[in-house]
């Protein structure tokens, strides 16, 4: 057998092997589009700012974060260094009572719930609030029922008092705050 015939047979065997490997690899299914959407984020951003409006066009939430990752399939936003403003409209009126919020990290399921973790601070941005600030290490906000809860220790301050406790339940609809295991200190000016 000459060099040419050997080269031809070797080339033919390599082409058949390559075609076999290609067919075999194309039969192996990769992840489905649904699996990709569940596993990987839709987008990720640095120095993010966003607003959320209700159906009537009123601003409900404004938030900013150093880093944001959004998973469209779960309507989930994870945040690092989030800060934001929650706008409450008592009695469904047009006058907002905004609250500033900040934390080390957090997550936000659109129109359902938010969790803030680490150095959570809240304070009102409107006149006449009996509370001037609240500080805790964890906070859960049920956006559908308008309830804020935490099992952690929380420090609530007002113009003339400081209250420490754990087991906070705050109903923003009724403007009612319950704190388990309270310890209050009143400061009169």
């Amino acid at each position: 057998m000459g060099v040419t015939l050997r080269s031809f047979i070797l080339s033919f065997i390599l082409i058949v092997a390559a075609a076999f490997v290609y067919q075999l690899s194309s039969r192996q299914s990769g992840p489905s589009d649904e699996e990709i959407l569940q596993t990987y984020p839709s987008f990720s951003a640095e120095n993010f700012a966003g607003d959320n409006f209700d159906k009537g066009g009123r601003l409900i939430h404004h938030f900013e974060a150093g880093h944001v990752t959004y998973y469209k399939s779960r309507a989930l936003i994870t945040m690092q260094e989030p800060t934001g403003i929650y706008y409450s409209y008592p009695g469904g009126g047009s006058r907002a009572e905004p609250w500033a919020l900040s934390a080390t990290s957090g997550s936000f399921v659109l129109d359902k719930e938010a969790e803030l973790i680490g150095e959570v601070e809240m304070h009102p941005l409107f006149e006449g609030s009996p509370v001037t600030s609240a500080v805790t290490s964890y906070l859960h906000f049920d956006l559908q029922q308008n309830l804020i809860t935490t099992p952690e220790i929380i420090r609530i301050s007002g113009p003339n008092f400081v209250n420490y406790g754990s087991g906070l339940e705050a109903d923003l609809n009724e403007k009612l705050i319950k704190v388990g295991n309270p310890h209050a200190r009143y400061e009169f000016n």
Side-chain angles (χ1 to χ4, degrees):
M1 238 190 325
V3 174
T4 310
L5 185 58
R6 255 188 271 169
S7 299
F8 177 73
I9 292 172
L10 185 58
S11 298
F12 180 76
I13 291 171
L14 288 174
I15 289 172
V16 169
F20 178 73
V21 168
Y22 175 76
Q23 288 294 325
L24 186 62
S25 67
S26 66
R27 287 184 190 157
Q28 294 177 350
S29 63
S32 69
D33 289 345
E34 184 62 32
E35 290 171 329
I36 290 171
L37 285 174
Q38 289 290 332
T39 306
Y40 298 103
S42 300
F43 77 83
S44 185
E46 299 291 328
N47 300 319
F48 182 84
D51 293 320
N52 189 16
F53 297 87
D54 68 8
K55 292 178 182 177
R58 295 184 306 186
L59 181 60
I60 303 173
H61 311 106
H62 169 78
F63 73 95
E64 299 176 6
H67 180 81
V68 169
T69 304
Y70 175 61
Y71 298 86
K72 182 178 180 180
S73 64
R74 296 180 267 170
L76 172 67
I77 298 171
T78 60
M79 306 169 280
Q80 295 298 318
E81 302 170 12
T83 61
I85 301 173
Y86 168 73
Y87 295 88
S88 174
Y89 297 89
S94 61
R95 184 176 168 266
E97 292 183 349
W99 285 82
L101 302 149
S102 65
T104 305
S105 65
S107 63
F108 182 57
V109 179
L110 297 177
D111 298 325
K112 290 187 180 176
E113 65 181 348
E115 283 188 334
L116 298 173
I117 302 166
E119 300 177 28
V120 180
E121 294 184 29
M122 301 174 291
H123 62 274
L125 299 175
F126 61 94
E127 296 290 324
S129 174
V131 174
T132 56
S133 71
V135 179
T136 187
S137 61
Y138 170 82
L139 194 72
H140 181 266
F141 190 176
D142 184 328
L143 298 168
Q144 294 176 332
Q145 296 183 23
N146 231 8
L147 298 174
I148 296 174
T149 57
T150 182
E152 302 299 323
I153 294 173
I154 188 164
R155 178 183 181 262
I156 301 172
S157 301
N160 297 315
F161 72 91
V162 176
N163 189 345
Y164 292 88
S166 59
L168 170 82
E169 294 179 16
D171 184 340
L172 300 180
N173 299 315
E174 301 293 324
K175 293 189 177 185
L176 179 66
I177 298 174
K178 296 178 188 175
V179 179
N181 304 316
H183 175 76
R185 182 179 81 219
Y186 295 94
E187 301 170 353
F188 299 101
N189 296 329

